[in-house]
Amino acid sequence: MSIDHVDLALKSKSFKQRQSNEPFLLSSILRCPDCDNKGSAACKANSVKAYDAENDLIQRIECFLCFLVNKQKFQVTIRSLTKHSIESLSKLKKDLTDVDLKLKDVIELRNKYLEAFEQNLFPVPVLQERLQQVAIEKTALEQKKNQLIVEIGKSDTKVIPPELVQILLERFIEVYKSSSRENKSNYSNS
């Protein structure tokens, strides 16, 4: 079969990629970075083999656990992750405070323009234009505020003791290595 035939088969709607029925550790959590869907049927950009992804994850966990030879380095790594999470949340909260202050200023400016309108201090077209600009800015700030509130709501900044991470990872690797492929998938889905 030539490359042209393969290309035609891939482009054909009747061509379907083979799907493995084998259970995999990561099958319930892997998502395509391009389309955010699960599995190769959803997107042709998905080219990572399940075995490779699974083996890579296990190797990375084992490598991470190797830091335990130098317990201080392991603890620094875990604390660094927690610190980064806390710093990100702090930045989001500061941004929210800044947006709230700007929103307050915009509302005060709008009220001044409305007051000027009532007192006929400026021509109506000028005030209408300025009020429209203020309304646009207010809407943008309210959208930004809502986005920040959602991001803050998603944040998880619990401090996780490094010792607990170590115990959980060691136990996971131990159970994973002693299990059959089918049981391995069940562990990851529970």
Side-chain angles (χ1 to χ4, degrees):
M1 188 177 253
S2 72
I3 292 177
D4 292 334
H5 284 92
V6 172
D7 285 341
L8 285 173
L10 286 171
K11 291 177 183 174
S12 163
K13 291 185 180 193
S14 64
F15 176 79
K16 204 171 189 184
Q17 289 184 337
R18 287 187 305 145
Q19 295 289 316
S20 173
N21 290 327
E22 286 189 62
F24 287 98
L25 170 69
L26 305 175
S27 63
S28 65
I29 59 173
L30 275 185
R31 297 286 183 267
C32 173
D34 291 335
C35 65
D36 199 33
N37 286 319
K38 185 172 114 175
S40 60
C43 176
K44 59 183 167 185
N46 185 350
S47 61
V48 176
K49 297 196 181 330
Y51 284 112
D52 295 340
E54 190 173 290
N55 289 337
D56 188 50
L57 174 69
I58 297 303
Q59 287 175 358
R60 286 176 186 230
I61 292 173
E62 288 175 330
C63 182
F64 188 66
L65 287 171
C66 288
F67 278 151
L68 293 177
V69 172
N70 183 347
K71 197 169 191 158
Q72 185 178 5
K73 189 173 182 179
F74 178 82
Q75 291 179 351
V76 166
T77 302
I78 298 298
R79 288 192 179 107
S80 172
L81 292 171
T82 302
K83 180 182 175 190
H84 176 71
S85 178
I86 290 170
E87 287 171 352
S88 295
L89 181 61
S90 294
K91 183 185 180 321
L92 288 172
K93 286 181 177 180
K94 183 191 178 309
D95 291 348
L96 181 60
T97 301
D98 292 346
V99 167
D100 277 336
L101 290 173
K102 288 177 186 175
L103 195 54
K104 182 181 173 190
D105 291 344
V106 166
I107 291 170
E108 285 177 16
L109 183 59
R110 181 194 65 187
N111 291 340
K112 286 180 183 178
Y113 285 145
L114 290 173
E115 204 174 286
F117 176 74
E118 290 172 355
Q119 297 175 6
N120 290 324
L121 298 177
F122 294 102
V124 173
V126 172
L127 284 172
Q128 285 177 332
E129 182 183 328
R130 290 183 182 176
L131 282 169
Q132 186 177 16
Q133 290 171 347
V134 167
I136 291 169
E137 186 175 355
K138 181 178 177 273
T139 300
L141 287 168
E142 288 171 339
Q143 288 175 347
K144 179 70 174 171
K145 180 178 179 175
N146 289 337
Q147 289 172 346
L148 289 168
I149 289 170
V150 168
E151 287 298 314
I152 289 170
K154 289 181 187 176
S155 297
D156 186 11
T157 58
K158 296 175 184 152
V159 176
I160 302 171
E163 298 77 19
L164 178 60
V165 174
Q166 174 188 347
I167 291 167
L168 290 173
L169 289 175
E170 286 173 343
R171 182 72 180 130
F172 174 79
I173 294 294
E174 179 184 316
V175 170
Y176 178 80
K177 285 185 172 183
S178 66
S179 300
S180 68
R181 175 154 297 285
E182 193 168 303
N183 286 341
K184 288 176 185 178
S185 179
N186 290 337
Y187 291 137
S188 69
N189 294 330
S190 48

